[in-house]
Amino acid sequence: MNESDAVACVLEEAARLSLTPGYINGDSYDEWYVEASDGLLKALAALAATRGQLALTERLERFTAPMCLEVIDNKLCTAIVAVEGMPCSNHVPQNGASFGFCTYPASPNDEYPRMCKRTPRSGTDRCDDHEAYCRIVKKNGEVCGNWNCPAPPHRKARQAAAQR
């Protein structure tokens, strides 16, 4: 692609830009943003490539791939992931303890659960809200996961583990 074709492609993609409601409260225009589409980012990457700006080309192409987007210590993780919405292997709930967080998923029913960012209670790896979820692994290999599980064998196993 030559430079004039790349400029035409960028302008064509830029013409498609529109306002998008903000993440938190999209009811006020100052909370809205203009989202760059994959097409625009690819067109900008192609333009950067024609100008010999390889670092910018790589950066723009990277933004077209799905990213982790987990925020830890005010740092955004931009690791590439297989599917949009999935956390990277470093930021799965099971690794929460390495960041000082609860190891239970913030929303366990999500397709790609994120870390609960609450501090675990003393002597355990879970926060107060998630400590009551059953950890017992059933015969089929699944974790029970019931809140305040009433199953007598599960209660006994939890009590025995707590006494150790």
Side-chain angles (χ1 to χ4, degrees):
M1 177 181 295
N2 64 35
E3 190 170 342
S4 62
D5 289 342
V7 169
C9 190
V10 167
L11 293 175
E12 187 177 311
E13 289 294 329
R16 295 188 182 116
L17 292 174
S18 62
L19 286 171
T20 303
Y23 179 70
I24 298 173
N25 297 319
D27 56 355
S28 175
Y29 285 120
D30 63 343
E31 296 168 345
W32 287 37
Y33 63 98
V34 177
E35 183 175 357
S37 66
D38 284 349
L40 177 59
L41 293 171
K42 288 175 183 176
L44 287 168
L47 179 58
T50 65
R51 313 282 323 268
Q53 298 180 0
L54 299 179
L56 180 57
T57 302
E58 289 175 13
R59 185 171 182 212
L60 290 166
E61 287 174 346
R62 179 185 175 104
F63 287 147
T64 64
M67 293 183 272
C68 174
L69 302 180
E70 191 68 60
V71 178
I72 308 287
D73 295 329
N74 294 323
K75 293 179 186 165
L76 178 67
C77 176
T78 58
I80 302 298
V81 294
V83 180
E84 188 73 40
M86 174 188 283
C88 70
S89 58
N90 291 330
H91 296 125
V92 292
Q94 297 84 348
N95 291 343
S98 62
F99 300 101
F101 298 142
C102 173
T103 58
Y104 195 82
S107 300
N109 296 328
D110 289 348
E111 186 175 358
Y112 305 112
R114 300 300 228 179
M115 284 193 291
C116 170
K117 294 188 180 160
R118 295 189 198 110
T119 305
R121 109 195 313 195
S122 181
T124 183
D125 63 345
R126 292 191 182 170
C127 67
D128 289 335
D129 291 344
H130 294 132
E131 184 59 37
Y133 287 91
C134 186
R135 302 172 188 244
I136 301 301
V137 178
K138 299 186 281 187
K139 289 179 184 175
N140 64 4
E142 293 179 9
V143 175
C144 175
N146 286 327
W147 188 78
N148 273 343
C149 181
H154 294 196
R155 285 186 178 265
K156 283 182 184 176
R158 282 198 317 266
Q159 289 169 350
Q163 292 174 355
R164 284 186 226 154

